[in-house]
């Protein structure tokens, strides 16, 4: 078997062997070399943008020969060629001039070049270059290779397309897996064909087997429309709430092909809403009961007590609505700590004396009367609320020290009490409305107070902070406002 | 099995299920729990799921490999959060009822609600009947 026959056989094998770009290109180049008697050649393939060579082929020996050639070509003719990754940037392939007459090539022993474009459907996808045929390339060489390339270029194009599709598929798979919504694709009978990570995590947390999918799918299969929405509560064991939408795809004949179900975990949002509704429901019920009692109450003292309880519930409802409505709208104006103290002190003293407590105003520090940009009335009200919280929970006769701390970037109003003065130690959870509501809903007949949560809401609106901490044998409530902000 | 959306239909479904469970040797305590779960699901479907007096509720169950899967479907399609009623039942002190979902959760191993808005509400419950099924499988009431 002569070398030409072997080359053609190898070419056929390469074509038949399936996806292997390297082997195919090698076989094409070998065949071209043998057919023309050129000692070496290469195939260059172009990307869609005509700016970069995606593949090149040569044997290791040829590569070493051509390495130097490419550098020279890169410098003088067609742009940048990197030595190791051998990526060649082209402005336009048609501008490539590889002729022996070119001065730069003459220097590096390229005697002659035959360059034939690889054309598919009138589009140039690359080139076959053959070099240094003894005696030069003939018209017959050119004619034979042109016919030869017509035959093999389609195979190269298909292979290129396959590689490109594999890349696209890989990318799409990555995107599919990365989508935060759970997605599952089922066949028309509901058999799962494909699902992404989010779906698996939603329905099979920690990979635990369960029957949620078989509970969801029958309703989809029976649905009369090709698209729609479903709400799913995976009550047990998942404890998840899922909002989902589905689409059915059909073939040309109108037969169902696949069902694609997209799911979003809405548990947190729904639970918040649920908690809110639950609380409203209970508070409004209590209001109705108190209002009924009020109508029947004859004694003034009882009416007053009922009135106070109604007032508390209404205040909680108002605060809850404001907290839920988002950031609090406060009217920030230039003010100073003195203005706040003037509004706060008389009310605080009155509240504490009513509860037989001692209010101990510690002397203000030298720079304590500072300018602020704040809603002074809202801050004073916040201080009154915190004082009221103390009054209800401290033992009679307790002392509450009030002081101001002036920091470089902030000013704090601090209320300090002895830890053992509290009937029950203050619970930090009262600063968070969610925690308050959880605590209230945790067991029946608890009293709800959103006062401290609302104080925090006020401080948040000022970009300040509200904290409660135990410092040794003292409990400190600290309301901090930032300086500046004018 | 389809029953009319009236509470009278609950007895019929429960008796039929109870008979089927007894026939395959399910312990009376387990059978009682399964029937109670069906009772609660059906009552909810009839009372809250069907807005029409002539509405129907569909009951289906399948027993296989030692498990029963029960599905109750009404034509309401009203979306609600069962967790809401479940938790409300723990704290509320007014009115009767509201504890059905809480009971269902306690009685079943798996519980799912599927709402097709405006069309149907389906509750699917699954419970283990035996550690291993003594006979191959048994199909329950079908359409």
């Amino acid at each position: 078997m002569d070398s030409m026959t072997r080359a053609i056989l190898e070419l056929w094998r390469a074509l038949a062997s399936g996806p292997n770009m390297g082997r195919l290109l090698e076989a094409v180049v070998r065949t071209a070399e043998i057919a023309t008697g050129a000692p070496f050649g290469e195939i260059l393939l172009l990307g869609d943008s005509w700016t970069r060579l995606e593949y090149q082929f040569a044997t290791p020996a040829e590569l070493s020969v051509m390495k130097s050639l490419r550098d020279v070509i890169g410098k003088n003719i067609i742009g940048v060629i990197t030595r190791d990754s051998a990526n060649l940037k082209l402005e336009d392939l048609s501008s490539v001039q590889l002729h022996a007459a070119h001065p730069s090539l003459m220097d590096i022993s390229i005697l002659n070049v035959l360059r034939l474009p690889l054309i598919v459907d009138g589009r140039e996808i690359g080139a076959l270059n053959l070099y240094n045929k003894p005696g030069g390339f003939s018209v017959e060489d050119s004619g034979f290779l042109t016919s030869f390339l017509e035959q093999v270029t389609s195979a190269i194009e298909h292979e290129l397309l396959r590689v490109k599709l594999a890349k696209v598929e890989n990318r799409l798979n990555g995107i599919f897996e990365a989508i935060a919504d759970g997605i599952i694709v089922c066949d028309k009978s509901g058999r799962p064909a494909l699902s992404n990570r989010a779906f698996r995590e939603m329905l099979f947390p920690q990979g635990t087997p369960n029957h949620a999918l078989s509970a969801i799918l029958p309703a989809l299969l029976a649905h009369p429309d090709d698209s729609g929405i479903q709400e799913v509560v995976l009550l047990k064991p998942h404890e998840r709430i899922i909002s989902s939408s589905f689409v059915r795809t059909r073939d040309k004949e109108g037969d169902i092909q696949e069902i694609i179900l997209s799911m979003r975990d809405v548990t947190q949002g729904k639970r918040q809403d649920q908690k809110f509704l639950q609380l409203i429901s209970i508070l409004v019920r209590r209001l109705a009961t108190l209002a009924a009692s009020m109508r029947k109450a004859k004694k003034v003292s009882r009416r007053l007590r009922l009135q106070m309880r109604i007032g508390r519930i209404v205040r909680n409802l108002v605060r809850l609505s404001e907290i839920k409505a988002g950031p609090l709208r406060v009217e920030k104006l230039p003010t100073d700590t003195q203005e706040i103290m003037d509004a706060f002190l008389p009310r605080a003293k009155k509240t504490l004396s009513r509860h037989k407590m001692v209010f101990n105003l510690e002397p203000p520090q030298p720079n304590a009367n500072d300018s602020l940009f704040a809603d002074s009335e809202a801050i004073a009200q916040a201080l009154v609320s915190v004082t009221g919280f103390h009054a209800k929970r401290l033992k009679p006769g307790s002392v509450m020290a009030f002081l101001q701390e002036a920091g470089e970037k902030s000013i704090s109003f601090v209320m300090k009490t002895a830890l053992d003065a509290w009937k029950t130690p203050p619970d930090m959870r009262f600063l968070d409305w969610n925690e308050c509501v959880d605590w209230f809903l945790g067991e029946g007949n608890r009293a709800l107070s959103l006062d401290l949560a609302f104080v925090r809401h006020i401080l948040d609106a000022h970009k300040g902070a509200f904290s409660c901490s135990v410092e040794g044998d003292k409990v400190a409530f600290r309301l901090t406002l930032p300086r500046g902000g004018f | 099995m389809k029953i009319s959306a009236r509470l009278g239909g609950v007895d019929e479904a429960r008796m039929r299920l109870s008979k089927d469970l007894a026939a395959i040797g399910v312990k009376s305590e387990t059978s009682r729990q399964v029937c109670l779960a069906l009772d609660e699901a059906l009552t909810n479907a009839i009372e809250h799921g069907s807005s029409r007096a002539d509405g129907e509720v569909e009951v289906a169950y399948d027993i296989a490999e030692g498990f029963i899967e029960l599905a109750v479907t009404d034509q309401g399609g009203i979306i609600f959060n069962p967790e809401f009623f479940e938790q409300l039942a723990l704290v509320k002190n007014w009115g009767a009822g509201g504890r059905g979902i809480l009971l269902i959760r306690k009685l079943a191993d798996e519980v799912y609600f599927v709402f097709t808005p405006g069309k149907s509400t389906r509750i699917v419950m699954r419970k283990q009947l035996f550690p291993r099924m003594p006979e191959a499988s048994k199909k329950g009431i079908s359409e």
Side-chain angles (χ1 to χ4, degrees):
Chain A
M1 195 188 294
D2 65 11
S3 57
M4 185 62 195
T5 312
R6 273 200 300 276
I8 290 172
L9 272 176
E10 174 51 27
L11 182 60
W12 274 106
R13 283 194 200 105
L15 286 169
S17 68
N20 188 334
M21 178 62 97
R23 189 175 176 188
L24 176 62
L25 296 184
E26 182 179 352
V28 171
V29 174
R30 278 304 145 262
T31 308
E33 285 171 356
I34 291 165
T36 57
F40 61 88
E42 65 177 351
I43 278 182
L44 305 176
L45 297 177
L46 290 176
D48 290 341
S49 61
W50 288 87
T51 56
R52 195 164 70 87
L53 283 171
E54 288 190 335
Y55 300 98
Q56 59 182 1
F57 170 75
T59 64
E62 290 165 348
L63 273 174
S64 65
V65 171
M66 289 200 280
K67 242 178 185 177
S68 57
L69 166 67
R70 289 200 184 96
D71 281 343
V72 174
I73 290 173
K75 281 171 192 161
N76 297 300
I77 303 175
I78 52 173
V80 179
I81 305 168
T82 60
R83 185 177 282 272
D84 295 325
S85 61
N87 282 330
L88 178 61
K89 285 188 178 171
L90 293 176
E91 291 300 319
D92 183 344
L93 190 67
S94 59
S95 70
V96 176
Q97 298 292 317
L98 292 176
H99 295 296
H102 195 285
S104 65
L105 294 178
M106 290 294 285
D107 296 337
I108 53 157
S109 307
I110 292 297
L111 304 172
N112 48 55
V113 177
L114 174 62
R115 180 187 166 276
L116 291 161
L118 303 175
I119 295 172
V120 175
D121 296 332
R123 188 169 57 87
E124 199 163 334
I125 64 165
L128 167 69
N129 293 331
L130 294 169
Y131 300 95
N132 292 3
K133 179 178 178 177
F137 292 98
S138 64
V139 176
E140 286 75 25
D141 289 334
S142 178
F144 167 75
L145 284 179
T146 303
S147 311
F148 171 65
L149 288 181
E150 276 173 13
Q151 306 304 313
V152 297
T153 307
S154 291
I156 294 172
E157 168 73 349
H158 284 149
E159 183 54 16
L160 273 177
L161 194 62
R162 191 198 63 77
V163 171
K164 197 171 170 181
L165 285 176
K167 272 186 188 172
V168 171
E169 186 187 7
N170 199 31
R171 185 179 300 146
L172 288 177
N173 268 335
I175 294 169
F176 184 66
E177 282 294 307
I179 292 172
D181 285 355
I183 295 174
I184 182 167
V185 181
C186 300
D187 69 10
K188 61 182 175 185
S189 313
R191 279 187 294 267
L194 190 66
S195 66
N196 70 349
R197 181 188 50 78
F199 171 83
R200 293 188 294 274
E201 283 176 4
M202 250 180 241
L203 261 75
F204 303 100
Q206 283 96 47
T208 318
N210 61 71
H211 297 77
L213 190 58
S214 62
I216 294 169
L217 287 177
L220 281 191
L221 296 172
H223 202 283
D225 304 326
D226 277 351
S227 64
I229 57 167
Q230 253 194 349
E231 290 279 323
V232 180
V233 179
L234 307 174
L235 191 69
K236 188 179 177 182
H238 304 68
E239 300 195 331
R240 272 176 202 261
I241 306 168
I242 306 286
S243 178
S244 72
S245 65
F246 70 92
V247 172
R248 276 194 210 127
T249 57
R250 291 179 184 269
D251 60 15
K252 282 179 187 168
E253 281 72 43
D255 295 328
I256 296 172
Q257 292 234 293
E258 287 183 328
I259 300 163
I260 297 118
L261 180 62
S262 161
M263 300 175 156
R264 180 164 294 181
D265 190 334
V266 293
T267 312
Q268 291 310 316
K270 287 272 182 184
R271 286 208 178 132
Q272 285 284 346
D273 292 347
Q274 164 197 321
K275 200 192 300 182
F276 183 66
L277 288 173
Q278 207 165 322
L279 185 65
I280 298 281
S281 173
I282 293 170
L283 293 183
V284 171
R285 284 267 174 183
R286 283 190 181 178
L287 265 185
T289 311
L290 289 171
S293 305
M294 186 88 161
R295 280 195 296 275
K296 291 176 197 160
K298 299 223 168 27
K299 283 187 183 168
V300 176
S301 59
R302 172 146 175 80
R303 287 181 70 86
L304 278 174
R305 270 203 308 277
L306 288 169
Q307 208 173 334
M308 275 175 65
R309 287 179 65 188
I310 289 173
R312 252 199 319 268
I313 292 176
V314 171
R315 196 168 65 233
N316 276 326
L317 281 169
V318 170
R319 289 186 167 169
L320 190 68
S321 311
E322 292 199 17
I323 290 171
K324 281 285 288 177
L328 187 68
R329 268 61 176 172
V330 286
E331 207 171 330
K332 286 193 266 186
L333 293 169
T335 182
D336 53 41
T337 50
Q338 193 56 54
E339 189 179 344
I340 292 169
M341 292 301 288
D342 288 345
F344 158 65
L345 275 178
R347 288 147 82 182
K349 282 177 180 164
K350 196 174 158 190
T351 304
L352 292 178
S353 68
R354 202 167 57 230
H355 287 83
K356 299 182 175 59
M357 286 170 54
V358 180
F359 183 73
N360 190 1
L361 181 62
E362 302 214 344
Q365 292 170 20
N367 61 343
N369 186 16
D370 280 290
S371 299
L372 288 166
F373 189 60
D375 184 333
S376 58
E377 180 50 37
I379 298 296
Q381 181 56 51
L383 290 167
V384 169
S385 293
V386 182
T387 308
F389 181 83
H390 281 76
K392 283 176 209 154
R393 286 165 181 81
L394 286 172
K395 294 169 188 166
S398 305
V399 178
M400 187 177 92
F402 186 91
L403 61 148
Q404 289 176 47
E405 288 174 351
E408 194 184 329
K409 292 183 177 171
S410 61
I411 294 163
S412 297
F413 298 101
V414 188
M415 295 176 196
K416 277 191 180 173
T417 46
L419 182 57
D420 59 11
W422 291 80
K423 292 172 193 164
T424 50
D427 194 331
M428 318 292 171
R429 289 180 302 172
F430 288 128
L431 275 59
D432 183 303
W433 80 271
N434 260 310
E435 296 272 8
C436 287
V437 175
D438 284 344
W439 179 83
F440 174 72
L441 295 175
E443 281 174 33
N445 294 322
R446 279 180 166 171
L448 176 71
S449 171
L450 293 172
D451 287 355
L452 296 192
F454 196 69
V455 169
R456 188 181 188 171
H457 202 48
I458 293 172
L459 269 299
D460 283 347
H462 285 83
K463 301 192 192 311
F466 178 43
S467 68
C468 168
S469 57
V470 176
E471 299 168 359
D473 59 349
K474 301 276 183 199
V475 175
F477 280 82
R478 192 169 269 106
L479 291 80
T480 306
L481 288 166
R483 286 181 186 275
F486 294 96
Chain B
M1 174 168 98
K2 283 182 179 170
I3 61 171
S4 61
R6 288 189 194 133
L7 290 175
V10 178
D11 287 344
E12 184 194 341
R14 189 204 311 115
M15 280 167 67
R16 195 158 164 186
L17 173 63
S18 172
K19 206 171 138 189
D20 281 351
L21 292 174
I24 57 165
V26 175
K27 281 184 183 172
S28 60
E29 175 60 17
T30 311
S31 174
R32 193 186 61 78
Q33 289 177 354
V34 174
C35 289
L36 184 54
L38 176 69
D39 254 21
E40 291 296 338
L42 264 176
T43 308
N44 280 347
I46 290 166
E47 286 193 343
H48 311 296
S50 303
S51 51
R52 298 197 327 253
D54 61 343
E56 281 186 330
V57 174
E58 197 179 294
V59 186
Y61 61 86
D62 180 37
I63 302 170
E65 296 169 7
F67 283 85
I68 182 166
E69 191 165 297
L70 274 156
V72 175
T73 311
D74 66 55
Q75 299 160 335
I78 303 157
I79 299 174
F80 63 92
N81 180 2
E83 287 182 346
F84 172 75
F85 294 101
E86 202 179 22
Q87 288 178 13
L88 194 62
L90 289 173
V91 291
K92 75 170 200 166
N93 54 8
W94 64 87
R99 285 163 179 85
I101 294 167
L102 201 64
L103 260 177
I104 289 170
R105 182 204 276 270
K106 283 193 191 304
L107 296 170
D109 300 331
E110 291 179 45
V111 186
Y112 308 110
F113 285 81
V114 182
F115 304 93
T116 306
K119 291 193 167 63
S120 68
T121 300
R122 182 182 177 89
I123 173 170
V124 180
M125 299 164 282
R126 194 175 158 86
K127 186 172 175 66
Q128 187 166 15
L129 297 175
F130 310 103
R132 282 179 191 281
M133 189 67 179
E135 54 185 297
S137 87
K138 183 178 186 328
K139 281 277 170 195
I141 300 169
S142 57
E143 299 292 306

